[in-house]
Amino acid sequence: MAPVRIRTVFMLSLLTFSLSLSKLAFSLTENEALLKLKSSFTNAEALDDWDSRSSPCVKRWAGIICFGGLITGLHLSDFGLSGTIDIEALQQLRALRTLSLKNNSFSGQIPAFNKLGALKLLLLSHNKFSGQIPDDFFSSMASLKKVWLSNNDFTGKIPLSLMTLPHLLELHLEGNQFSGHIPTLRKPTTVTSLDLSHNKLEGEIPDSFSKFSNVSFLGNQGLCGKQLDRDCSSMVVESLPQPAAEEKKESAGSEGHTKLAIGIGALVVMGILFIATFTGRRKDKGDDFSILEKRNTR
C-alpha cells in the first residue's frame, strides 16, 4: 500500500506544480499589462512613451501614478483615447486604486469596472458611454469614494448599488438620460458632492437628499420636492392622462353633429305642428262654410 500512496502523493504534487506554472504563464508584469491595455485603445499617440524597454514608475510613463514602486493610479484624462478598455489587463495592476478616463471618446456599454473591486476613484465623465447599468453593478466595489459618470448617454434607472456604497463621498451623474425615481441614499452624511441634474428623473426627491440644494436636481421636469419648490401633489394632477388633441377634436365634432341633429329635429317637429295647426284651421273654416250653406238653403 505504501508505494501506491507515495505514487498518489507524487501525482498530486505534480498536478499542483503544473497548475502553479500555468497561472504564472497567464499572469503579466505591470509593464506587459499596460502595453496590453494600450493595444486595446485607438488614437493612443499620447501614450507613445509607454515603452517595454523602460519602467512605468522610473520613467514616469504618461498618466501613470506610482507609490512605493507600484502603480496605484491611471489618470488618462484628455488623451483623445477611444476603442475598448481591456479590463483583464487592468486586473493585473494589483495596487490600482484610482482610474480616470475623463474627456475621451470611449463609447458603448460601461466596461466591467466592477471586476476592479479595490478601486476608490472611478471617473468616466465626458465620454460617449451609453445604455443601462445593471442594478447590482457596484455591489462588489465597496471601496469606491468618488464616482463621476456625468455627461455620457447612460439610460435606465440609477443603479441601487451605487446609492449603497458605504464610503461614497462624491457622486456625479448629471447630463445623462437616467430615468425613474431616485433611490434612497444609504449614508447621506458622508456625501459631500452630488449632482443628478439634467436627466429624466421623476417623483419625489427622497429625504436622504435634504441637505443638497436645487442645483443638484435641476433639469429633471418630473422631479418634485422642497428643493425645487415644486409640490408633489400638483405633479400627480398634472401627470393624469389628458385627452389627446384628436380626441378633443372628435369630441367637438360629435357634439356639433348632435346639436345639428337636435336642431333639425326641432324644426321638423315645429313644421309638423304648423301643418297640423293650419290643416285644422282650414277644416274648421270648411265646416263653418258648410253650416252657413245649409242655413241659407233653408
Side-chain angles (χ1 to χ4, degrees):
M1 294 293 291
V4 174
R5 184 176 299 170
I6 292 172
R7 191 181 300 112
T8 303
V9 172
F10 175 75
M11 293 297 292
L12 287 173
S13 300
L14 183 62
L15 179 61
T16 303
F17 180 69
S18 300
L19 289 173
S20 299
L21 284 177
S22 175
K23 187 175 180 180
L24 286 172
F26 282 104
S27 64
L28 302 173
T29 66
E30 289 193 330
N31 292 44
E32 292 170 335
L34 287 173
L35 292 173
K36 186 172 182 288
L37 175 66
K38 177 183 175 181
S39 67
S40 69
F41 297 154
T42 55
N43 302 321
E45 292 81 6
L47 307 179
D48 283 346
D49 64 345
W50 288 24
D51 191 327
S52 60
R53 294 167 294 181
S54 63
S55 168
C57 291
V58 175
K59 183 68 174 177
R60 294 187 179 182
W61 290 5
I64 304 299
I65 307 298
C66 295
F67 182 79
L70 296 173
I71 297 173
T72 59
L74 280 181
H75 293 188
L76 305 178
S77 303
D78 301 292
F79 276 31
L81 301 172
S82 57
T84 58
I85 300 169
D86 192 330
I87 299 297
E88 290 183 1
L90 289 174
Q91 286 180 289
Q92 303 302 314
L93 308 177
R94 307 296 181 186
L96 188 66
R97 296 295 180 269
T98 61
L99 178 60
S100 177
L101 298 170
K102 294 190 304 178
N103 297 306
N104 284 291
S105 298
F106 294 109
S107 61
Q109 296 280 338
I110 188 170
F113 294 117
N114 53 352
K115 292 182 178 180
L116 309 174
L119 280 184
K120 293 184 177 181
L121 179 147
L122 179 62
L123 307 182
L124 305 177
S125 302
H126 294 278
N127 278 281
K128 300 175 183 177
F129 291 115
S130 60
Q132 299 186 23
I133 302 176
D135 208 35
D136 61 348
F137 186 86
F138 297 95
S139 298
S140 59
M141 305 183 77
S143 298
L144 276 175
K145 294 183 177 182
K146 299 181 180 182
V147 182
W148 289 55
L149 308 179
S150 49
N151 296 293
N152 282 281
D153 198 23
F154 289 116
T155 58
K157 296 181 178 180
I158 295 175
L160 179 62
S161 56
L162 190 54
M163 296 298 190
T164 59
L165 292 172
H167 304 293
L168 188 64
L169 298 176
E170 297 181 9
L171 177 60
H172 283 249
L173 305 179
E174 71 271 17
N176 282 284
Q177 303 291 322
F178 286 114
S179 58
H181 290 69
I182 302 174
T184 300
L185 192 59
R186 179 180 176 182
K187 289 190 173 181
T189 55
T190 64
V191 179
T192 58
S193 180
L194 174 81
D195 197 340
L196 308 178
S197 64
H198 302 288
N199 280 283
K200 296 182 178 180
L201 299 169
E202 60 186 11
E204 186 171 6
I205 300 170
D207 292 337
S208 56
F209 294 90
S210 59
K211 74 175 185 178
F212 300 105
S213 70
N214 66 331
V215 176
S216 298
F217 308 100
L218 294 174
N220 292 282
Q221 297 302 318
L223 278 185
C224 59
K226 60 182 180 181
Q227 292 92 333
L228 297 173
D229 195 24
R230 191 179 296 162
D231 186 19
C232 291
S233 60
S234 64
M235 293 290 292
V236 172
V237 173
E238 288 176 8
S239 65
L240 291 174
Q242 300 295 327
E246 290 188 3
E247 290 180 357
K248 289 181 178 180
K249 187 176 179 181
E250 289 177 3
S251 176
S254 176
E255 186 178 349
H257 288 311
T258 303
K259 289 180 177 179
L260 181 61
I262 292 172
I264 293 173
L267 287 174
V268 170
V269 171
M270 289 176 64
I272 292 171
L273 290 174
F274 176 78
I275 293 170
T277 304
F278 181 75
T279 305
R281 287 181 178 178
R282 288 193 64 183
K283 185 176 179 183
D284 289 342
K285 286 182 180 180
D287 290 341
D288 291 342
F289 284 130
S290 53
I291 291 170
L292 288 172
E293 232 175 81
K294 286 180 181 179
R295 285 178 180 175
N296 292 330
T297 54
R298 289 179 184 174

